[in-house]
Structures are given as structure tokens and as C-alpha cells.
Amino acid sequence: MTSQQPAPCCTSRRTVLRGAALAGAAGLGVTACGGEPGGEASPTPTAPVELGAASEVPLGGARLYREERLMVAQPKKGEYKAFSAVCTHAGCVVSKIEDGTAICNCHGSRFDANTGKVLHGPATVPLPDVPVRVTGDRLVAGPKS
């Protein structure tokens, strides 16, 4: 009698690559995690993005703005640092910030939320810096208009 092994939890890299090859042969577009069909979206804003009240970013912590694909830290009172929340490994958007660590659930990469530096791979490149400023009491990320 043979024992049944449970099915693996995740698709193997070989299966994904085989599927991508078949899709390419069929003329279908394939994008990386979180990518947009028809081209790669910029990981950083190309125009100013209003994020909300500066008071929403905890002192000594960080806040994730998933829709805007950004995260903002406030290491010292009134000092804000922003980073792209697009993982540098495969383009997924960081899923959460926990204890000062930005976590990408796609493949397990972890980044320091105050510096953007890689804490745990597979990512090897830090999250890109994004200019951020306080206008009135609002945070605005990206280039000045």
C-alpha cells in the first residue's frame, strides 16, 4: 500500500517557468508579482502623491500606504522618511509593517522600515527612497510639482 503525500502548498518554480513558456508561445503577456500588464509601473511616484495627515505615521514607527505603494517612517519627531513599498525582488507590494520591519508575503523578503535596507532575502536591493515633505499637516510624497 502506498502512502498519500499531501500536495505541496505552493507552485514550484519549474511549474511557473513552464507555464510562462507556454503562455509566451501562445502570445499571452506575463508579468511579475504585482506588475501591470503592458509594462512595468515605476516603483516610485512620478508626480506628487498626498498621503494624508502626518500625525497618522507613528513616532518611532512606520505606516504602509498600500494603494499608493509607499511606506513612511517617522524615526524622530517631525522627521519623515519615505520608501517605495514595491519589493525589489519580484515587484510585489509589501503586505504589512510589523515591529519596524516591512514584510513582503510573496517570497518572504523583509526590509527595515526606517532605512529600506534588506533584512532578509530573497531581495538583495534596498527599497528605493522617495522624497517626502509635510505641507501644512499633510504628507506629500514624490517629486515637487
Side-chain angles (χ1 to χ4, degrees), residues 48-72:
V49 178
E50 186 174 320
L51 299 174
S55 61
E56 294 175 351
V57 179
L59 178 60
R63 174 155 184 211
L64 178 62
Y65 296 89
R66 250 184 95 67
E67 292 290 317
E68 293 82 5
R69 301 167 11 137
L70 296 168
M71 71 176 182
V72 178

Side-chain angles (χ1 to χ4, degrees), residues 4-84:
Q4 292 282 330
Q5 293 287 331
C9 73
C10 306
T11 305
S12 74
R13 182 181 179 106
R14 180 175 296 189
T15 302
V16 171
L17 293 174
R18 193 176 294 151
L22 292 173
L28 302 173
V30 178
T31 60
C33 299
E36 294 181 11
E40 289 296 316
S42 173
T44 59
T46 56
V49 178
E50 186 174 320
L51 299 174
S55 61
E56 294 175 351
V57 179
L59 178 60
R63 174 155 184 211
L64 178 62
Y65 296 89
R66 250 184 95 67
E67 292 290 317
E68 293 82 5
R69 301 167 11 137
L70 296 168
M71 71 176 182
V72 178
Q74 185 181 191
K76 296 179 185 172
K77 186 167 179 64
E79 179 186 318
Y80 297 92
K81 294 181 178 183
F83 304 93
S84 169

Side-chain angles (χ1 to χ4, degrees), residues 32-35 40 69 85-94 104 106-107:
C33 299
E40 289 296 316
R69 301 167 11 137
V86 177
C87 181
T88 56
H89 171 247
C92 296
V93 177
V94 166
C104 179
C106 287
H107 302 106

